[in-house]
Amino acid sequence: MLLTSRGRRIGGRVALGLVSTVVLGVTGYAWTQLSRLDGAIVTADVIAPSAQVPDGPPGEPLRVAQNILLVGIDSRTDSNGNPLPQNVLDALHAGSGDDGGDTTDTMIVVHIPAGGAAATAISIPRDSYVDIAGGFGKHKINSAYSRGKNAAMNTLRAQGLSGPQLEVKANEAGAKLTIQTIEQFTGLSINHYAAVNLAGFSSLSEAVGGVEVCLKEPVQDKFSGASFPAGKQTLSGPQALAFVRQRHGLPSDLDRIARQQAFLSSMAKNVLGAGTFTDPTRLSALVGAIQGSVVLDRGWDVLSFAQQLRGMSAGALKFQTIPVQSLSLPTPSDGDAVKVDPAEVKAFVQATLTSTSVAAVGEPTSGIGVKPVAATSSVSAPPSSSSASTPPDGCVN
């Protein structure tokens, strides 16, 4: 199997959650508890040798800037390739086991500069119409995963693979094509990869005790199961998944991205402020959720990586969304898509990553005795009339 378990590789949430874990500085107690994950995290050989970076000395600042691709996959299997039970799918409003298209509903590239004092998370709309790597032509970027996976299926079956083993190896092919496509589209080299499925995100949001969000108006959506009043509220489990997954009833898919960004920001603050890493019960729940939901690239020692980021606070995480030109681009075979200009996107990414100022700010983080060492602010990022953004009051559509 190309997907295996590897000791001392831990993960936080991906696409919607790993950010909260990798940006935390925690005490020795937390490292001891996190070691329970030894041998329990599923990994995949998906990062090209040219993009791999060596681990730095534990406890020393990050020596090399790195880009992490976080994806949330609309998958009806667990990280080991086993189908999710129908009762779990029902609770998540995910349909039957045959309904999943294995598309990447969420794609966020997290850039961490050398020194590890700050992070910039760049969201990519799932319907962006781009050139898919590997000669697949122009399609929505979220289809790269399923195209790579499906293309590998016949070869893998011919090799005698079936069942969960076939699923995990095919997933690896999907991840590789997704990474190649995003590298080609953004101009960035992806150094690490982390993915989570539907059930995994639900479990992780419960493990951190729920996340506070704020809605401008009440929501009712039978497709995602979203049913929320207006205003502030704490969501976890299937409710949290419905909040970040809802599409129907929103003004545009960019509003969905704004929700994801607001949720991630609140989740990071929640974990830091609530003492998750010093609360044995909550930490145990987080470890258990991570074990069954996260897939990381093979070779990534996340425990060592996180130690290099000690002292980073939730305030040091900045969110951006790539510029788009239209939300209703007619396509030959993919329906309406999001129109993007690859050259404009590459310029935006480079300007965003070079216009971040870092300053020592903040009081010691509650419960873990680590002072935040940096906060980020954009000083000259290119404007985009269509970029998703969270309003000043924190409430989203």
Side-chain angles (χ1 to χ4, degrees):
M1 291 174 58
L2 295 180
L3 284 173
T4 63
S5 295
R6 179 181 182 268
R8 287 181 61 80
R9 291 197 185 134
I10 65 170
R13 166 59 186 116
V14 288
L16 298 167
L18 178 77
V19 175
S20 306
T21 301
V22 300
V23 301
L24 303 180
V26 295
T27 62
Y29 171 82
W31 300 121
T32 301
Q33 295 302 307
L34 290 172
S35 67
R36 289 172 41 206
L37 285 167
D38 283 1
I41 292 299
V42 176
T43 65
D45 183 13
V46 296
I47 299 298
S50 59
Q52 293 177 1
V53 291
D55 292 329
E60 291 189 11
L62 202 65
R63 290 184 173 181
V64 181
Q66 297 183 25
N67 300 308
I68 305 167
L69 175 61
L70 312 179
V71 300
I73 301 176
D74 191 15
S75 172
R76 273 66 174 174
T77 59
D78 64 18
S79 56
N80 289 299
N82 300 301
L84 295 174
Q86 188 59 48
N87 65 319
V88 173
L89 296 174
D90 291 343
L92 300 175
H93 292 265
S96 72
D98 297 326
D99 290 339
D102 290 313
T103 55
T104 46
D105 273 357
T106 304
M107 287 161 284
I108 301 175
V109 178
V110 179
H111 174 81
I112 304 177
T120 302
I122 302 176
S123 295
I124 300 172
R126 51 168 277 160
D127 289 342
S128 300
Y129 198 60
V130 305
D131 286 311
I132 304 297
F136 284 89
K138 294 200 74 170
H139 295 284
K140 293 179 180 179
I141 196 168
N142 71 327
S143 71
Y145 192 95
S146 57
R147 293 179 190 279
K149 177 177 179 177
N150 293 337
M153 279 288 191
N154 288 338
T155 299
L156 295 171
R157 286 193 182 101
Q159 295 173 356
L161 299 185
S162 62
Q165 188 179 31
L166 172 65
E167 185 74 14
V168 294
K169 285 195 173 183
N171 284 339
E172 188 173 70
K176 285 181 178 179
L177 189 64
T178 298
I179 290 169
Q180 293 166 8
T181 299
I182 288 180
E183 288 182 328
Q184 179 178 286
F185 179 53
T186 63
L188 296 174
S189 176
I190 300 300
N191 311 113
H192 288 302
Y193 169 84
V196 73
N197 62 17
L198 300 177
F201 176 63
S202 176
S203 299
L204 283 159
S205 64
E206 288 182 332
V208 298
V211 176
E212 184 179 88
V213 300
C214 182
L215 282 171
K216 293 180 178 180
E217 299 176 355
V219 168
Q220 289 290 332
D221 175 40
K222 65 179 182 179
F223 296 98
S224 66
S227 179
F228 311 119
K232 292 183 178 181
Q233 53 212 287
T234 298
L235 304 179
S236 65
Q239 286 185 317
L241 181 63
F243 177 82
V244 299
R245 194 164 174 254
Q246 181 188 351
R247 296 193 72 190
H248 300 276
L250 293 179
S252 77
D253 208 37
L254 294 184
D255 292 283
R256 191 175 190 233
I257 287 178
R259 281 193 182 188
Q260 295 169 356
Q261 293 177 346
F263 191 95
L264 268 175
S265 179
S266 183
M267 189 175 189
K269 292 176 182 176
N270 183 10
V271 172
L272 283 168
T276 298
F277 286 86
T278 56
D279 182 329
T281 300
R282 185 168 292 182
L283 182 58
S284 178
L286 180 61
V287 168
I290 291 170
Q291 288 176 334
S293 62
V294 174
V295 176
L296 302 178
D297 66 272
R298 186 175 304 159
W300 187 9
D301 186 342
V302 183
L303 181 56
S304 175
F305 179 78
Q307 286 177 310
Q308 293 177 299
L309 303 183
R310 292 183 65 145
M312 184 185 290
S313 71
L317 176 60
K318 178 181 179 60
F319 289 92
Q320 293 278 11
T321 302
I322 64 166
V324 305
Q325 298 184 333
S326 170
L327 299 175
S328 56
L329 172 69
T331 68
S333 60
D334 294 355
D336 283 353
V338 173
K339 183 180 180 181
V340 291
D341 180 346
E344 182 183 15
V345 169
K346 288 184 176 70
F348 172 84
V349 169
Q350 289 304 312
T352 296
L353 300 187
T354 56
S355 65
T356 300
S357 62
V358 179
V361 297
E363 296 303 319
T365 306
S366 173
I368 58 177
V370 178
K371 181 176 180 177
V373 296
T376 62
S377 61
S378 178
V379 294
S380 60
S384 173
S385 59
S386 301
S387 288
S389 61
T390 303
D393 61 4
C395 294
V396 295
N397 287 318

